[in-house]
Amino acid sequence: MDRRKLIKTTAAGAAAATIAAPAIAQTNPKISWRLTSSYPKSLDTLFGISTHVAKRVAEATDGNFQIQTFAAGEIVPALQALDAVQNGTVECSHTLASFYIGKDTAFAFETSLPFGLNTRQQNAWLYQGGGLELCRDLMKKFGVHTIPSGNTGAQMGGWFRKEIKSAADLQGLKFRIAGLGGQIMAKLGVVPQTLGGGDIYPALERGTIDAAEFSGPYDDEKLGFVKVAKYYYYPGFWEGCANVSFIANSEKWAGLPAHYRAVVEAACAEANALCVAKYDHGNPDALLRLIAAGAELRAFPQDVMQAAFKEAFALYADQAAKNPNFKTMWDSFLPYWKKEQLWFRVAELPFDAFNAQASQSLR
């Protein structure tokens, strides 16, 4: 081999590598973010979406984009996650937008509305019906960017220390319930309380509150509510689902390379699907275990359901009349909700109702 040719070829390759290396480093910069969750680590599904997103982002960027996850209370309390993102204490969070309706009642739409859409319908509105664009337009006003990143599915109505036989039994009841559901229940005489997940059990145990809703059997079992309140009510009409949001500081989000943003979006979409699947898988067995542990299932009385439905839609009309942000959301959401209910009544409700009834014969 010609030694001079070999030397030239080797030198040219080294020079190319020297030029390429900084370019690669620039397109895959090392970035470190912190994420604060509104949930304790004991809730392996709701906190688990945070660790899942962080893991997938790191894997897809060869470890160059790291997201360190923190449970509620490790950096800020559960219900201050959004504030921490806004003020730059952390770059991102996993939380429910509905926790922050004190900033704007229109935040509720991103999570769910009482008597609103179920999980699949909510995803359809967000991803295909223009809902996510509206939510992002709203969030932009508060300096944050939002991505759907998990969902609890349909929820239970909560744990009560005493039986609810009619709407009259709600008078003066101290009930842990967040979002617009709390405002609706207040119209029925309830005294709403807002507490993070980790603070509910001691409040129930001490009698500081009389009842609490959180999620469904899988999470409720982990939080131990059956030990301090035996009446387990359904349905959780204030949340036919609960979309969990990955919320990032707008400036930090805009500063990410485009392919890093795409990776986060993909990881959140995956987490959304896996979160719902885990709840649908875990809730049935958890419900049976809770019943075995002493939980007494109760359906909310019809007068409670009817009164709450009436108050819910009166609240929406009132908010749409006085809050332009709410009206923008409502004008999109209401016709979509009506359309989805029609399809559900025709195709899914008869199917689900028949299966539920027929399954009894297989015992």
Side-chain angles (χ1 to χ4, degrees):
M1 181 180 290
D2 188 330
R3 290 181 60 194
R4 284 177 294 182
K5 184 177 180 181
L6 176 62
I7 292 169
K8 287 181 180 179
T9 302
T10 304
T18 302
I19 294 170
I24 293 172
Q26 288 170 6
T27 57
N28 293 282
K30 289 189 177 295
I31 294 176
S32 180
W33 276 17
R34 297 197 303 171
L35 180 153
T36 185
S37 172
S38 285
Y39 306 103
K41 291 180 179 178
S42 60
L43 297 180
D44 61 336
T45 304
L46 288 173
F47 185 76
I49 60 175
S50 301
T51 56
H52 179 84
V53 167
K55 176 175 179 289
R56 297 298 270 170
V57 167
E59 289 172 344
T61 60
D62 293 327
N64 287 316
F65 187 7
Q66 296 284 337
I67 300 177
Q68 190 176 4
T69 58
F70 295 88
E74 290 184 332
I75 297 179
V76 295
L79 304 183
Q80 293 179 21
L82 176 60
D83 303 87
V85 175
Q86 285 181 289
N87 63 32
T89 300
V90 296
E91 289 79 12
C92 57
S93 70
H94 265 133
T95 190
L96 295 187
S98 60
F99 286 154
Y100 311 101
I101 59 169
K103 297 178 184 291
D104 194 308
T105 51
F107 273 41
F109 285 91
E110 185 169 342
T111 304
S112 67
L113 287 189
F115 298 102
L117 299 168
N118 66 24
T119 306
R120 284 172 38 229
Q121 293 166 347
Q122 180 78 0
N123 279 336
W125 179 65
L126 288 171
Y127 290 123
Q128 299 293 322
L132 184 54
E133 288 81 1
L134 293 175
C135 290
R136 284 178 172 170
D137 286 345
L138 174 65
M139 289 291 192
K140 190 183 300 183
K141 298 175 183 178
F142 292 85
V144 295
H145 178 78
T146 186
I147 309 171
S149 191
N151 203 303
T152 64
Q155 297 191 5
M156 292 290 284
W159 298 85
F160 291 72
R161 291 161 61 93
K162 67 175 185 178
E163 200 167 358
I164 305 299
K165 297 180 180 179
S166 72
D169 291 329
L170 296 175
Q171 296 299 314
L173 189 84
K174 297 187 292 294
F175 187 19
R176 184 274 178 190
I177 179 170
L180 294 181
Q183 295 185 20
I184 292 163
M185 294 301 282
K187 296 289 187 180
L188 305 186
V190 164
V191 182
Q193 310 288 314
T194 303
L195 298 171
D199 300 323
I200 300 172
Y201 182 93
L204 265 177
E205 185 179 37
R206 293 193 300 266
T208 306
I209 58 175
D210 305 306
E213 61 81 29
F214 185 74
S215 180
Y218 186 79
D219 283 342
D220 291 354
E221 180 185 34
K222 291 179 180 298
L223 293 174
F225 298 146
V226 69
K227 300 173 185 176
V228 288
K230 70 176 183 178
Y231 296 107
Y232 200 20
Y233 274 85
Y234 64 90
F237 53 81
W238 42 81
E239 283 182 333
C241 70
N243 170 66
V244 184
S245 301
F246 177 96
I247 294 178
N249 180 280
S250 291
E251 291 185 6
K252 294 293 185 180
W253 178 255
L256 290 177
H259 62 294
Y260 278 20
R261 294 197 299 267
V263 164
V264 175
E265 294 266 8
C268 286
E270 184 179 61
N272 195 6
L274 292 175
C275 185
V276 175
K278 187 168 183 178
Y279 276 122
D280 283 343
H281 174 74
N283 277 328
D285 288 339
L287 180 60
L288 293 175
R289 290 192 297 268
L290 287 169
I291 292 171
E296 296 189 20
L297 286 182
R298 296 286 189 274
F300 279 120
Q302 278 300 300
D303 68 333
V304 170
M305 297 292 292
Q306 291 166 355
F309 184 87
K310 179 180 177 182
E311 292 294 348
F313 281 80
L315 175 64
Y316 305 150
D318 177 66
Q319 286 297 314
K322 64 186 183 184
N323 181 350
N325 289 333
F326 195 98
K327 186 179 189 306
T328 297
M329 294 284 199
W330 184 239
D331 287 347
S332 167
F333 187 91
L334 181 59
Y336 204 88
W337 178 84
K338 289 179 178 178
K339 180 176 65 175
E340 289 294 329
Q341 301 318 309
L342 173 62
W343 168 242
F344 185 81
R345 289 198 306 272
V346 170
E348 299 204 25
L349 183 59
F351 175 81
D352 292 342
F354 178 83
N355 272 356
Q357 183 65 35
S359 67
Q360 303 297 309
S361 66
L362 300 179
R363 289 183 175 181

